Amino acid sequence: NTAVFFILQPSSIFTLAPYTEAFFVFFCLVGMLLMENNHLFLGSCAFAVATCARSNGITLCGYVVYFSFRKLACASRQGQLHWARMLMGAFSLVLQCGVVVSGHLAFSLFGNLLYCKSDFAILSALQHNFRPHPPQDPRPWCNQLGPYRFVQQTYWGVGFLEYFEFKQVPNFLLALPILSLAILCASSFLSDHRNLLHPRSLYEVLSGSSGGTTGKSRKALGTSSGLNLDTLPYVAHAAFLAIFAFFFINVQVVALQSS
């Protein structure tokens, strides 16, 4: 059912077209599947490939954090957690998050190299038949990590409350259904699992010891909202994207991001 809804949702036109969104979604799903099967490093690599295409892939680090802590919590419940394992887990977590972010960093550095380093910029200009920018008068983004952030801030109005203008009211109305759905989903999940707000209960959920259920039986813990405990990282991810889109970016793209 989830796959059918994903295909039929309005923004599927982007994921079905020969566009970076399809590439991004594919590697996101591959990474999530690998994470669910405890292949954390391979999942991080898949996320890194996705992040090469879309900068919001950086938020996928949340899955690395969740599944890393879940792995440590399971080891603790089984009495196999010690200082060496904790240090190794912390190192692996930092490494894997670095791998995820490296995709966007590679893209940004490539843009900087292509348009700001004189030799490469001139060669690129000749290849693509456009006039190179004078090296003695570099573009503003050359002092940043890459051109993408500059373009977002200068031309797209990306920034805290930058999109809160009267002329953008239609776009906020366009985004209202998916924003409402994401927040309703998150609030329903928290309502069904209030115990997650307590660190001890969260540890029990991560370790699989909540209610004495583990493994496959834990998957069956359905609720009135239809959201079981294993949907926690996905619900949190969708809620974060919705809130971030509302306050920081072109709000109408939330339908695409939250899909």
Side-chain angles (χ1 to χ4, degrees):
N1 289 338
T2 302
V4 171
F5 280 122
F6 179 77
I7 293 172
L8 297 179
Q9 48 97 15
S11 59
S12 63
I13 185 174
F14 292 99
T15 56
L16 296 176
Y19 179 59
T20 55
E21 201 64 40
F23 180 89
F24 173 73
V25 169
F26 174 76
F27 282 99
C28 281
L29 295 177
V30 169
M32 291 173 186
L33 181 61
L34 289 168
M35 289 280 171
E36 287 284 358
N37 288 281
N38 290 321
H39 301 299
L40 304 190
F41 185 76
L42 290 177
S44 300
C45 291
F47 288 158
V49 177
T51 309
C52 287
R54 309 293 293 181
S55 62
N56 59 295
I58 294 174
T59 61
L60 295 169
C61 287
Y63 292 95
V64 178
V65 173
Y66 172 82
F67 285 102
S68 295
F69 274 98
R70 193 176 79 170
K71 188 175 182 180
L72 289 175
C74 289
S76 175
R77 181 174 60 85
Q78 297 168 2
Q80 299 176 354
L81 188 63
H82 43 78
W83 282 108
R85 186 158 189 171
M86 289 178 63
L87 290 174
M88 183 59 68
F91 174 77
S92 298
L93 175 59
V94 173
L95 175 64
Q96 289 159 13
C97 286
V99 168
V100 176
V101 175
S102 68
H104 179 62
L105 291 179
F107 173 80
S108 299
L109 290 173
F110 174 73
N112 188 281
L113 183 68
L114 190 63
Y115 295 108
C116 299
K117 303 301 181 184
S118 58
D119 293 341
F120 290 96
I122 293 173
L123 180 61
S124 176
L126 293 175
Q127 289 177 339
H128 296 88
N129 197 28
F130 65 82
R131 185 171 60 87
H133 200 76
Q136 66 273 15
D137 183 26
R139 297 292 291 148
W141 65 67
C142 291
N143 297 321
Q144 303 178 11
L145 181 59
Y148 191 64
R149 184 179 178 185
F150 174 84
V151 170
Q152 285 183 315
Q153 293 177 335
T154 306
Y155 302 110
W156 297 350
V158 172
F160 182 61
L161 302 183
E162 290 290 334
Y163 216 60
F164 278 56
E165 299 177 325
F166 182 76
K167 66 180 180 180
Q168 302 297 349
V169 169
N171 284 323
F172 278 92
L173 294 176
L174 182 65
L176 185 61
I178 193 66
L179 285 172
S180 302
L181 184 61
I183 299 303
L184 179 62
C185 175
S187 60
S188 298
F189 182 86
L190 285 176
S191 177
D192 288 330
H193 305 292
R194 293 187 184 90
N195 59 326
L196 292 178
L197 299 176
H198 302 285
R200 179 65 184 178
S201 298
L202 181 59
Y203 163 77
E204 291 177 351
V205 169
L206 289 173
S207 64
S209 60
S210 179
T213 57
T214 57
K216 294 183 178 180
S217 61
R218 187 166 172 261
K219 302 274 188 182
L221 289 177
T223 63
S224 58
S225 65
L227 300 171
N228 60 41
L229 294 170
D230 287 327
T231 61
L232 171 59
Y234 308 99
V235 172
H237 188 209
F240 175 82
L241 288 177
I243 295 171
F244 185 80
F246 183 79
F247 288 106
F248 286 91
I249 66 175
N250 307 39
V251 70
Q252 67 271 22
V253 304
V254 71
L256 180 61
Q257 286 192 349
S258 297
S259 65

